[in-house]
Amino acid sequence: RPALAADAHCLLARCKHAKGDMAAAEAHYKQACELAEPIMKELKNGAASGSGASRSGRSGTSGSSPAVSTSALHAALPATMGLMHYGLAQMHLQRGDQKGASVQLEKALVCHPYGVKNVHTMLGHVQSSLGKYTRAIEHLRESLRDVSGESRV
């Protein structure tokens, strides 16, 4: 299964990243993202249509499969999908590539839009360094929301 392979590559990437083997870590992060990309595309298409997306092209099914909800697609994402993009964002930041980090952090939020305070915090910092202050403030405010959804600002 692509999702399981993506998880394995992501976990290998995290280990390599922690050990400082950046070339191997980046290769595994990228492989993980490539394996999970079909699910992400389906998620984006479902979110854009507002209803769901066709399952065609996944797991050998024909186009006659029923549409699935966006929440079901979120559930089908590899467990480490957000972590893949978060790790790549960290690597971009370590190299001073703010734009690359921003792209990866936005992808992490698409994967797991709820309860990712550290991604919002990091994205707020990156957006600020890119001069995108309005977006930075939005992300930093989101990072300060409590569990009930109330803003603490």
Side-chain angles (χ1 to χ4, degrees):
R1 287 182 6 151
L4 185 59
D7 279 343
H9 277 286
C10 184
L11 295 174
L12 277 169
R14 294 303 292 170
C15 290
K16 298 291 185 181
H17 196 166
K19 288 186 170 190
D21 187 351
M22 299 306 182
E26 188 166 13
H28 283 293
Y29 281 133
K30 287 182 177 180
Q31 183 66 32
C33 291
E34 286 174 22
L35 288 166
E37 188 61 28
I39 300 169
M40 283 299 297
K41 284 183 180 176
E42 201 165 327
L43 179 62
K44 287 177 190 175
N45 291 340
S49 71
S51 60
S54 166
R55 291 179 53 123
S56 63
R58 279 193 37 219
S59 61
T61 59
S62 69
S64 62
S65 296
V68 292
S69 70
T70 301
S71 60
L73 284 170
H74 272 290
L77 286 172
T80 56
M81 188 66 186
L83 192 57
M84 296 170 200
H85 293 292
Y86 187 76
L88 278 172
Q90 288 175 319
M91 296 189 83
H92 283 290
L93 285 173
Q94 289 168 338
R95 289 193 302 258
D97 178 8
Q98 303 291 330
K99 288 183 180 181
S102 179
V103 167
Q104 294 302 322
L105 290 167
E106 292 285 353
K107 287 181 179 182
L109 286 177
V110 169
C111 298
H112 302 289
Y114 310 108
V116 197
K117 293 180 184 301
N118 58 335
V119 175
H120 281 292
T121 302
M122 188 183 275
L123 199 46
H125 168 72
V126 169
Q127 294 293 340
S128 176
S129 69
L130 292 171
K132 298 178 180 179
Y133 301 112
T134 302
R135 290 284 293 148
I137 291 168
E138 290 171 10
H139 285 294
L140 292 170
R141 280 192 176 141
E142 188 63 34
S143 73
L144 294 173
R145 289 195 188 280
D146 64 17
V147 179
S148 69
E150 294 293 319
S151 178
R152 297 187 314 213
V153 186

